[in-house]
Amino acid sequence: MNRSRLGRSLLFRNCFLLLLFAVTPVLARADETAPGRDSKQPVNEAYTAKIKKYTTAPVFTSPLVDYLPASKNVPTPDAVLGDVSGAPGILPYAEDVYKYMRLLEKATPRVRVFSIGTTEEGREMIAVAVSSEENLKHLEENRARLAKLADPRSIKLDDAEADRLVAQSIPVYYITGTIHSPETGAPTALMELAYRLAVDDSAYIREIRDGVITLITPVVEVDGRDRMVDLYRWHLAHPKEFYPPLIYWGKYVAHDNNRDAMGVTLKLTENVLNTYVGWKAQVLHDLHESVPYLYDNTAGDGPFNAWVDPILTDEWEMIGWRNVADMTKFGMPGVFTHGVFDTWSPGYLMFIAAMHNGISRLYETFGNGGADTEERTLDPQDYSRTWWRQNPPFPKTLWSQRNNNNYEQTGLLTSLHFFNENKRLFLKNFYLKAKRSVTKPAQEGPAAYVLPADDPRLELQTELLQVLQKQHVEISRAASPFTVALPVKKPKKSSKKEDAKDTKEKEKDAEPASREFPAGSFIIRMDQPYSRIADALLDHQYWSPDDPQKTPYDDTGWTFGELFNVKVFRVTDAKVLDTAMERVNAVKPAGGVQGEGAIFAINNNAEPTLATLRYKLRDASMESAEEPFEAGGKKFNRGSLIVRGVARSDFDRAANETGLRAVALSTAPSVKTHPVRAARVAFVHTWLSTQTEGWWRLALDNLKIPYDYISTQTIAKLDDLNAKYDVILFPPVGFNASSTAIINGTSTAWGNPLPWKNTPETPNLGKNDSTDDMRPGLGWEGVAHLQSFVAKGGVLLTATDTSRFALSIGLADSVSVGTSQKMNIVGSVVGTRLVDAASPIAYGYDEKLSAYCDNGPIFSLSSIAGGRGFRRLGGRSASRPTGRGTADDPDFTVGRPGVEAPEEATAELWEYPPVSDEQKRNGIRVIPPANRARVILRYADNKDLLISGLVEGGDEIAQHPAVLDVPAGHGHVILFSINPVYRGETRGAYSLVLNTILNFDSLDAGRKLAEK
C-alpha cells in the first residue's frame, strides 16, 4: 500500500471513529419504546379504514399512522373536513384548519390555541400547543425556566444551575407548515398530528406528550393558502380544463417568502420569529413539498453557514440521520438526508432557530400540488441510489395526499420521540449555544459592531437597527465619545508579480488604526444571547470560487451595512464593552426641523423617505438643487430639497414621521434648482411571475408611494399612457424571463383561458389584479404603446431582465448586452462607482455604492447605431502588429522614410468609444452625443468588485455600466444591471429608483455633452 492510499485509509478510519463516538450516545437503546398502538385503546375503525383506502401501497405508511385511536370526546379531522386527513379532493381553507384546532381545544385540556398575529391582508395566524394537561397548566413557569437557559447571563453563566434547569424543563418543539402555498399537504397532516398527540395512549405517543410541548403553526402563508384552495376548487369544478397557476401567494411575494428570515419584512416571518423566541423553543421544523418522498435536509450539503455553532451542525447530523434510520426500519422508501441543498444562507424561515441558538429543521415531502391522487413518473436523478439515498423512491408510482400525510406525520413523530428521549442533551446544548454566544467577544470575536452617530444617513441607519431589533438583538447607545482600536486592513493583493513586493511592504508598514466615535453612537454588543444573528447580518461573506459546491442554492452574500449604505464598524477591541452605554428599547427615526423660517432645506443623502415626504406634502412646492450649496450654517449636497408653501406644524410632523432632518430658512438659497413634482406612477407586472416585483411593491407601500398596479395586458389596451402616467416602473419579472415570453405570454394556440378573477367560486383571487385569461402577454401593440410613451416624454424604468427586454425592442440603440462566457455572480454584494454625480438619479450618493447583483446583464456602449463599426478582417488587436523593435517601438517599412501613425483615441469600458474620422465620413449611423446613454454608475474594477459572496469571472462585467439613463425621443429609459430593490435588504439603493421618480421631468439636469 503506498503512502497516499495509507493516508486516505487512516483518515477514513479516524473520521469513522469520530462519527461513531459522536453518534453513540444517541443510538437506539435496547429498551427504547417501540412504536405501535395501545391494544387497550379502541381504534376509530371507520377512520382507520379510510386511511388504508387512501394509502396507495403498504410501504407508504408506518405503524405510527396506519390507524387512528378512538375518542368519545375529541373530534377527529373529518368533523370539519367531511373525510379523513389526506382524503382525495379535499383541501381546507386556513379558517377550517383553525376551526378544527379550536374544536380540539374545547374538547381536551391537552390542546391550547394561541393567536400569533395577522398577515398583510388581515388573516389570522395561530400556534397550537399540544402536551400533557400538567405541562399546559404550567406553561409560564416552564417558559421562565427556558428563558434562563436562553439567556445564561440571568444565571451568571452557572453550568450547575443550568443543569438544574435542564432537569426541570420541558422543551418546546415548533412545527410550521405551508409557507409555500402550492405545497398543500401540511395542514391536514398537522390537524391529524394534533389529534394523535392529544388522544393516543400508546407508550410511544404518551412519552412525547408528557415530555415535549409540541407547538404547531399549521399554515404560515395564510393569504396564499386560501388562494391555493380557491384554485384547487376551481380545478375540481372544471376537471377537463387546465387550471391557472398560483400567480400570487402572499400579498407581495411567492416562493421568496422563505427567504425573509434576514430582513424580516413580511408579517409571516415576524409572527413566526416572535413566536419562536417568545416560547423559548428549541427547534423550528418547517414543512415543505418538492421531492420524493421525504428529504430531511436538516443535514444539508456544504458549505455550512459560517456563523452557526458547531454544536448545531452536530445536532443536524445526529437528528437527520436518526430520522432516516427510523423511517427506513419501517420499510418506507425514499427517505434521505444530506442531498445537495447547501446550508449557507440564513434567509430561510427554519434558520430563525439556527440564528437564535436552537435547531433548524426542514422536510421536503412529495406533494401533488393539490389533493388529487395521480400517477407520478420521476426523473432518474430522483430515483437513483446515492451514498446519501440508499433506499431511493420508485421510478413510477400512484401517489396520494394521504401518502404525503403519512410521511409527514411519521417523520414528525419519530423526530419528536427521539427529541424527547434526548431532551436533556438538547436542552443543555440550547444553553451552551447561548452561553457561547454571550462569551463570543472573548472567543472568536468580534466584541461589538458600532454604527456611528455621525453617519449622514441616519434614517437608513435607523431602518437597519430596527431590523436587528426585530431579530431580538439588544442595541445600546454610547453616553459619551469613545475610542477603540480597529483591525488592520491589509491591502488587496495584486495579481502582478512585480507588485507583490510592494504589497508586502504595505502590509509590513500597516499600523493598527484607532477611531473615536461620537456620543450617541449605537453599539451592538456581542456578549448577548442573539449575537449570532447580528454577526451574520453585519459581517462580510466570502464564497470561494474553488468551493466544491458549484451550484449555490441561494444568495451567497448579504452584508446589511453595505446594502443599507450605512457605516458599520466591526470592532475586535474588547475595550468597547467598557464604554458607558444605555440599552435602547425602541430605535425611532430622529427627524425634525432646526431654525426659524418658512422655507425648509433637507440635505439629500439618498434616504428613501425623501420620496415619502414629496407625496405626504402633495400641496407643498418642492425644488431640487442642481449643485451643492450652503445655507443656515449647513452644507447641502446636490439634490437637496427646498420646500415652500407648507405650514411649520405640518412640516414638523412630516419630518418627524419620515426621520428627515431639515433646516428652516428665512430666504431661499442662491442655487440652480428644478421642480420636484409628485409623479404619476404605473407599476407593471406580467402574468408570468410576480415573485421579484413583489419586493418592489412592498418597498413602495412601506414608503407610502402611490402607484397604479397594472399588467402588461393593460399596457396593451391603453392607447395613451402619457395621459395617465409620468413614470412606468417595470421591475424584474424573475427567472431571467425572456423578451419573447414577456411579449407573447403563454401560448393561446391550445388549451382554455386561465382566469384570475374574484368570483363566488374563487373569492380570494383577483384582489391585487385580475384578468379573464392569464395567457396573453404584452403583445406587439403593448410594445408600441411603451415605445410611444417614451417617445412622448415618459420615463420607463427597468431592471435586469426587463432591461434586456427594453433593449430588445429598440429603446436604447447605443446599448447592447454582452454574452457571458465565465461570469458567475450568485446573489452577491458588489462594488459600483459613481460616474455622473450631476445626474438627478445619483443625487445623495457618494463615490462608492455596494449593490446586489445576480449575474446581471453586461451592458456595453456603442457610438455607432447597430453597435458595429466598419467590417474588419480578424479580431481587433490589443497590441501592435508583429514587426521590428520592442512592444513599444514603431515598426518600419524598408525603402521609405518612417511615418508617424496618429495616436488612437481610447475609452474606458463604461464610456462610449471615440468616433474615428473614417466613421464620421457621411456618418449617418454615428449616434449624436445627445442621444447617447448617460452612465450613472459603473461596476468597480475587478479587484474591487467583490464585497460579499461569490464573484467568479468578474472581469467580464467589471467597469461596465451598472445604471444607465438613455434618452429616447422626448423621454428616458432607465436601465439597471443591478437589482436595486430586493428582499428588503438593498435599501441603500432604493433612492436610485426614487430619485428617478422625483426628478422624472428633469433627468437631463446637469448633463454635459463632451462632443458636439
Side-chain angles (χ1 to χ4, degrees):
M1 182 181 292
N2 63 37
R3 183 175 298 179
S4 176
R5 289 178 63 192
L6 175 62
R8 288 197 297 271
S9 177
L10 289 173
L11 178 62
F12 177 81
R13 187 195 68 179
N14 291 339
C15 289
F16 176 79
L17 290 174
L18 182 63
L19 180 62
L20 178 63
F21 293 148
V23 175
T24 296
V26 292
L27 289 176
R29 303 192 315 268
D31 62 344
E32 190 173 298
T33 303
R37 59 175 292 262
D38 178 7
S39 60
K40 298 178 182 178
Q41 185 176 25
V43 168
N44 186 320
E45 298 291 352
Y47 198 106
T48 300
K50 288 288 189 73
I51 291 175
K52 184 176 181 180
K53 178 181 178 181
Y54 299 143
T55 300
T56 62
V59 292
F60 297 144
T61 189
S62 74
L64 288 171
V65 298
D66 61 2
Y67 72 97
L68 195 77
S71 172
K72 295 180 180 179
N73 304 314
V74 182
T76 57
D78 58 356
V80 170
L81 300 177
D83 207 334
V84 306
S85 288
I90 295 178
L91 278 189
Y93 287 106
E95 185 179 346
D96 296 324
V97 179
Y98 297 173
K99 179 181 178 181
Y100 176 69
M101 294 300 193
R102 289 186 163 116
L103 287 177
L104 285 181
E105 182 182 36
K106 289 179 181 179
T108 172
R110 296 173 179 174
V111 177
R112 290 186 61 184
V113 179
F114 301 86
S115 184
I116 64 171
T118 58
T119 68
E120 282 81 3
E121 295 181 1
R123 294 178 177 87
E124 184 187 23
M125 291 178 65
I126 67 169
V128 182
V130 188
S131 193
S132 69
E133 183 176 357
E134 187 69 14
N135 289 341
L136 294 185
K137 275 183 181 178
H138 300 96
L139 277 179
E140 293 310 315
E141 296 97 310
N142 188 65
R143 193 199 309 262
R145 288 190 293 270
L146 293 176
K148 292 178 180 179
L149 294 174
D151 186 355
R153 298 171 301 180
S154 63
I155 57 173
K156 300 180 180 179
L157 279 65
D158 185 338
D159 292 352
E161 176 62 12
D163 287 339
R164 188 184 68 81
L165 291 166
V166 164
Q168 295 175 346
S169 299
I170 304 297
V172 179
Y173 194 110
Y174 188 20
I175 303 166
T176 53
T178 312
I179 186 174
H180 285 165
S181 304
E183 301 166 11
T184 55
T188 50
L190 293 173
M191 291 166 71
E192 191 173 286
L193 180 75
Y195 176 90
R196 292 181 186 278
L197 291 174
V199 170
D200 199 327
D201 285 333
S202 69
Y204 193 92
I205 303 299
R206 193 171 61 248
E207 287 172 5
I208 298 172
R209 183 167 60 239
D210 292 342
V212 179
I213 297 169
T214 303
L215 194 65
I216 301 170
T217 292
V219 184
V220 173
E221 177 54 274
V222 188
D223 298 334
R225 172 67 181 192
D226 286 357
R227 280 189 266 278
M228 184 64 201
V229 175
D230 275 3
L231 281 183
Y232 183 68
R233 294 190 175 190
W234 188 94
H235 156 65
L236 294 179
H238 306 82
K240 296 182 179 180
E241 297 185 32
F242 296 123
Y243 51 89
L246 189 66
I247 191 72
Y248 294 97
W249 298 12
K251 180 176 175 64
Y252 294 109
V253 296
H255 192 272
D256 256 14
N257 60 9
N258 193 36
R259 303 296 186 273
D260 187 48
M262 289 190 281
V264 197
T265 60
L266 302 175
K267 290 291 187 181
L268 64 83
T269 315
E270 188 173 359
N271 293 338
V272 170
L273 171 56
N274 289 340
T275 303
Y276 177 83
V277 173
W279 279 77
K280 310 303 175 188
Q282 283 64 61
V283 181
L284 177 54
H285 193 153
D286 197 25
L287 303 184
H288 291 251
E289 297 170 20
S290 66
V291 296
Y293 297 127
L294 189 150
Y295 171 27
D296 183 343
N297 69 5
T298 296
D301 197 3
F304 286 173
N305 180 276
W307 292 266
V308 300
D309 196 305
I311 293 175
L312 171 60
T313 63
D314 292 343
E315 290 172 322
W316 284 342
E317 303 295 338
M318 214 183 290
I319 295 172
W321 289 109
R322 176 57 190 269
N323 206 173
V324 173
D326 281 344
M327 294 185 70
T328 301
K329 284 187 289 186
F330 291 145
M332 303 179 79
V335 180
F336 63 99
T337 190
H338 191 278
V340 296
F341 166 83
D342 69 75
T343 317
W344 176 249
S345 169
Y348 312 109
L349 188 76
M350 67 166 178
F351 242 78
I352 287 171
M355 292 286 102
H356 293 81
N357 303 321
I359 303 171
S360 54
R361 298 203 64 197
L362 188 147
Y363 282 169
E364 296 280 4
T365 57
F366 199 36
N368 288 338
D372 291 356
T373 300
E374 298 180 277
E375 192 83 37
R376 301 293 299 273
T377 302
L378 306 185
D379 291 331
Q381 65 181 14
D382 288 327
Y383 62 76
S384 61
R385 186 176 63 82
T386 68
W387 73 262
W388 39 262
R389 186 173 54 206
Q390 289 290 328
N391 184 15
F394 303 127
K396 189 172 184 178
T397 191
L398 184 66
W399 193 256
S400 67
Q401 175 127 297
R402 181 64 218 186
N403 294 354
N404 186 24
N405 280 190
N406 290 341
Y407 270 77
E408 288 170 311
Q409 289 187 73
T410 301
L412 289 169
L413 288 170
T414 53
S415 291
L416 285 164
H417 192 265
F418 174 73
F419 185 77
N420 174 63
E421 291 215 319
N422 297 277
K423 62 186 172 188
R424 303 303 168 213
L425 168 68
F426 293 124
L427 280 168
K428 184 62 179 286
N429 284 353
F430 179 66
Y431 160 76
L432 288 175
K433 286 178 286 188
K435 180 182 177 182
R436 284 150 70 104
S437 294
V438 171
T439 59
K440 185 177 181 62
Q443 302 300 324
E444 74 273 19
Y449 285 89
V450 177
L451 283 72
D454 56 2
D455 193 307
R457 298 180 178 87
L458 292 178
E459 196 279 325
L460 280 168
Q461 183 188 80
T462 296
E463 290 189 34
L464 175 53
L465 292 167
Q466 287 173 339
V467 171
L468 292 173
Q469 286 200 314
K470 284 184 177 182
Q471 294 281 5
H472 295 262
V473 171
E474 297 171 1
I475 297 172
S476 301
R477 200 164 195 178
S480 57
F482 63 98
T483 301
V484 297
L486 296 177
V488 176
K489 284 191 175 181
K490 294 184 178 181
K492 293 190 177 182
K493 293 182 179 179
S494 173
S495 59
K496 298 179 180 179
K497 292 182 179 179
E498 58 267 26
D499 293 339
K501 183 177 179 181
D502 185 50
T503 299
K504 287 183 178 179
E505 289 298 320
K506 288 180 180 178
E507 291 179 0
K508 182 179 177 181
D509 296 338
E511 294 288 338
S514 63
R515 179 182 172 102
E516 180 176 343
F517 293 97
S521 294
F522 291 98
I523 301 173
I524 294 98
R525 303 175 64 103
M526 290 292 101
D527 55 350
Q528 59 170 297
Y530 301 142
S531 61
R532 192 178 318 281
I533 180 63
D535 196 17
L537 295 184
L538 299 177
D539 204 352
H540 287 71
Q541 297 78 42
Y542 177 73
W543 184 300
S544 171
D546 297 325
D547 194 283
Q549 176 62 267
K550 297 303 179 185
T551 54
Y553 195 79
D554 201 68
D555 291 344
T556 59
W558 53 81
T559 307
F560 269 44
E562 299 283 357
L563 290 174
F564 276 62
N565 199 21
V566 298
K567 297 176 182 177
V568 177
F569 293 87
R570 186 177 189 266
V571 179
T572 57
D573 184 357
K575 289 191 300 183
V576 68
L577 302 177
D578 298 328
T579 303
M581 64 183 82
E582 297 178 350
R583 278 279 301 276
V584 179
N585 293 323
V587 181
K588 297 180 180 178
V593 185
Q594 294 179 342
E596 297 297 329
I599 300 171
F600 307 100
I602 307 170
N603 198 15
N604 191 333
N605 287 302
E607 294 183 292
T609 51
L610 283 171
T612 306
L613 186 75
R614 168 64 281 183
Y615 286 94
K616 185 180 284 287
L617 301 176
R618 276 185 172 275
D619 296 332
S621 170
M622 295 190 186
E623 296 172 303
S624 185
E626 296 185 5
E627 296 294 339
F629 65 91
E630 291 189 29
K634 303 282 185 180
K635 292 184 177 181
F636 291 85
N637 298 326
R638 182 185 280 112
S640 295
L641 292 185
I642 300 166
V643 184
R644 298 180 176 86
V646 58
R648 175 64 182 256
S649 59
D650 292 337
F651 191 84
D652 280 341
R653 188 182 314 109
N656 280 308
E657 290 174 355
T658 55
L660 296 170
R661 299 186 177 190
V663 176
L665 305 172
S666 56
T667 58
S670 178
V671 63
K672 186 179 180 181
T673 64
H674 61 255
V676 175
R677 301 183 178 91
R680 302 167 300 163
V681 179
F683 189 115
V684 178
H685 71 91
T686 69
W687 289 104
L688 300 169
S689 171
T690 62
Q691 165 76 325
T692 310
E693 58 89 354
W695 294 113
W696 290 56
R697 279 189 287 122
L698 178 59
L700 293 181
D701 286 353
N702 285 341
L703 289 165
K704 297 179 173 56
I705 309 297
Y707 57 88
D708 284 353
Y709 185 59
I710 61 176
S711 75
T712 50
Q713 295 178 2
T714 304
I715 292 285
K717 296 173 183 176
L718 291 175
D719 292 329
D720 188 0
L721 290 167
N722 302 81
K724 297 190 69 174
Y725 305 115
D726 304 305
V727 177
I728 294 178
L729 302 181
F730 199 176
V733 176
F735 309 108
N736 288 316
S738 69
S739 300
T740 300
I742 292 172
I743 296 169
N744 294 340
T746 304
S747 179
T748 58
W750 61 84
N752 51 273
L754 303 176
W756 186 273
K757 299 179 69 175
N758 186 257
T759 69
E761 192 175 39
T762 53
N764 298 291
L765 304 188
K767 299 293 181 69
N768 284 353
D769 199 359
S770 63
T771 179
D772 292 325
D773 188 359
M774 296 169 61
R775 296 176 299 166
L778 178 67
W780 291 106
E781 193 167 7
V783 168
H785 290 168
L786 283 179
Q787 291 170 331
S788 174
F789 170 76
V790 174
K792 293 178 180 178
V795 175
L796 174 64
L797 187 148
T798 63
T800 64
D801 53 20
T802 55
S803 291
R804 293 176 187 270
F805 159 76
L807 295 175
S808 74
I809 62 171
L811 287 176
D813 195 47
S814 65
V815 184
S816 62
V817 177
T819 301
S820 168
Q821 301 298 321
K822 59 182 181 179
M823 184 178 75
N824 189 30
I825 301 176
V826 183
S828 298
V829 186
V830 299
T832 68
R833 298 293 182 265
L834 186 60
V835 175
D836 192 343
S839 166
I841 297 173
Y843 283 169
Y845 282 100
D846 303 322
E847 178 192 355
K848 298 180 180 180
L849 176 67
S850 297
Y852 175 84
C853 179
D854 187 31
N855 285 326
I858 303 170
F859 294 144
S860 293
L861 306 178
S862 173
S863 304
I864 308 299
R868 295 177 60 190
F870 291 106
R871 187 172 182 178
R872 297 174 178 270
L873 295 176
R876 179 183 291 273
S877 177
S879 62
R880 56 155 282 193
T882 301
R884 67 150 295 276
T886 68
D888 299 322
D889 287 333
D891 198 5
F892 66 10
T893 299
V894 176
R896 77 179 197 199
V899 178
E900 186 175 349
E903 185 175 343
E904 286 194 28
T906 60
E908 302 288 357
L909 284 174
W910 65 88
E911 296 177 331
Y912 277 91
V915 180
S916 70
D917 290 339
E918 284 297 300
Q919 289 171 327
K920 290 177 183 176
R921 293 178 60 240
N922 192 29
I924 57 175
R925 293 195 302 116
V926 175
I927 301 171
N931 294 85
R932 299 177 192 171
R934 192 173 182 181
V935 182
I936 313 302
L937 288 172
R938 68 169 177 89
Y939 285 101
D941 297 352
N942 192 40
K943 67 182 179 66
D944 300 317
L945 189 61
L946 173 63
I947 303 296
S948 277
L950 168 64
V951 172
E952 186 175 14
D955 57 310
E956 290 191 334
I957 201 169
Q959 298 188 335
H960 281 262
V963 181
L964 289 166
D965 174 5
V966 186
H970 295 288
H972 295 258
V973 179
I974 314 301
L975 306 171
F976 281 84
S977 173
I978 60 175
N979 186 350
V981 185
Y982 179 74
R983 293 183 178 175
E985 299 171 12
T986 61
R987 301 187 206 188
Y990 283 9
S991 286
L992 294 169
V993 174
L994 300 171
N995 280 344
T996 303
I997 295 173
L998 291 176
N999 301 280
F1000 73 95
D1001 53 354
S1002 299
L1003 290 178
D1004 286 328
R1007 178 163 184 159
K1008 295 179 180 178
L1009 302 180
E1011 187 179 345
K1012 296 294 183 183

